[in-house]
Amino acid sequence: EADIYQTPRYLVIGTGKKITLECSQTMGHDKMYWYQQDPGMELHLIHYSYGVNSTEKGDLSSESTVSRIRTEHFPLTLESARPSHTSQYLCASSGTGVAKNIQYFGAGTRLSVL
Amino acid sequence: KQEVTQIPAALSVPEGENLVLNCSFTDSAIYNLQWFRQDPGKGLTSLLLIQSSQREQTSGRLNASLDKSSGRSTLYIAASQPGDSATYLCAVLTGANNLFFGTGTRLTVIP
């Protein structure tokens, strides 16, 4: 079973607040990803990382930022939350070798900005 | 840009029936295709992964096929059970480890 954790699971917050969504994995995976999923819509990649100090933007533009200071940790930050940021955010990671193309997903964070 | 489409968007079947979920993608230059299961309030669980060189994969009551040249995949679920109720997503992996997802098929298996 994959060991990738996201906190919080649910977050309701007011407009203008700064928030950080946490994602941690204990599998030693180099690659990590953030996806955004609006209700009834596809998941879209918003950020990914190939390893420590590597961050890239995905195919969906996002006002969020990410950092990768440690292999196991890939937090996502919104400096000033807005109602348009209301969505589900899913974190994933993938390793190397035979299973390098398999992404393991966390349970997600459902964010509501009032 | 890769686009992934899944039909139907929702499906209800009585318990015990066999069913097929469909997935199509526009760019055949893929590394692999994955079928995921998503339960409400939970993350994604990978069900089957088919490499671009493969035609099908089987796991228990699940069988996934891939026709890369026509940009299609199917997920066959045999003898459906109420516990199979979930949203099923297909995703194709392209360069830079980018997964492109469909919008999913919401399956309800009625006891």
Side-chain angles (χ1 to χ4, degrees):
Chain A
E1 188 169 317
D3 295 319
I4 180 163
Y5 307 100
Q6 290 186 242
T7 57
R9 292 288 306 278
Y10 304 93
L11 179 61
V12 181
I13 202 162
T15 297
K17 300 290 186 183
K18 177 180 178 179
I19 60 170
T20 296
L21 308 185
E22 303 287 350
C23 177
S24 296
Q25 49 94 7
T26 58
M27 297 170 283
H29 286 170
D30 288 327
K31 299 184 183 68
M32 296 188 74
Y33 316 82
W34 276 103
Y35 292 86
Q36 183 175 343
Q37 184 181 30
D38 293 330
M41 304 296 288
E42 311 95 318
L43 279 85
H44 286 286
L45 182 69
I46 52 174
H47 299 284
Y48 60 99
S49 166
Y50 287 129
V52 171
N53 293 326
S54 153
T55 61
E56 304 285 343
K57 290 193 177 293
D59 50 68
L60 179 68
S61 175
S62 174
E63 293 171 345
S64 59
T65 60
V66 292
S67 62
R68 189 86 183 277
I69 299 172
R70 303 198 316 266
T71 298
E72 63 271 21
H73 196 211
F74 191 39
L76 180 147
T77 299
L78 280 164
E79 290 292 333
S80 179
R82 294 207 302 272
S84 60
H85 297 140
T86 295
S87 190
Q88 175 164 251
Y89 294 84
L90 285 162
C91 179
S93 70
S94 63
T96 57
V98 175
K100 67 178 180 179
N101 289 330
I102 298 176
Q103 294 187 18
Y104 297 91
F105 284 79
T109 294
R110 192 172 296 278
L111 173 66
S112 295
V113 184
L114 306 178
Chain B
K1 182 189 170 186
Q2 180 73 262
E3 291 184 7
V4 182
T5 304
Q6 289 186 247
I7 53 172
L11 181 64
S12 283
V13 299
E15 182 177 2
E17 282 217 353
N18 304 325
L19 58 104
V20 175
L21 308 181
N22 297 290
C23 173
S24 60
F25 48 95
T26 55
D27 187 347
S28 61
I30 64 170
Y31 289 123
N32 63 44
L33 182 143
Q34 277 184 267
W35 282 93
F36 292 89
R37 170 182 173 141
Q38 184 174 33
D39 293 285
K42 297 186 179 180
L44 303 182
T45 302
S46 181
L47 298 172
L48 289 165
L49 182 148
I50 311 177
Q51 301 290 354
S52 62
S53 58
Q54 297 175 323
R55 300 284 291 192
E56 67 176 338
Q57 283 287 334
T58 298
S59 175
R61 294 182 293 108
L62 306 179
N63 176 276
S65 69
L66 174 64
D67 184 342
K68 196 175 122 174
S69 60
S70 67
R72 296 178 189 275
S73 174
T74 61
L75 178 67
Y76 174 82
I77 302 177
S80 58
Q81 303 171 356
D84 295 332
S85 297
T87 296
Y88 290 82
L89 300 170
C90 74
V92 295
L93 184 73
T94 62
N97 262 58
N98 286 354
L99 271 178
F100 288 87
F101 285 84
T103 52
T105 294
R106 185 163 55 249
L107 172 67
T108 303
V109 180
I110 304 165

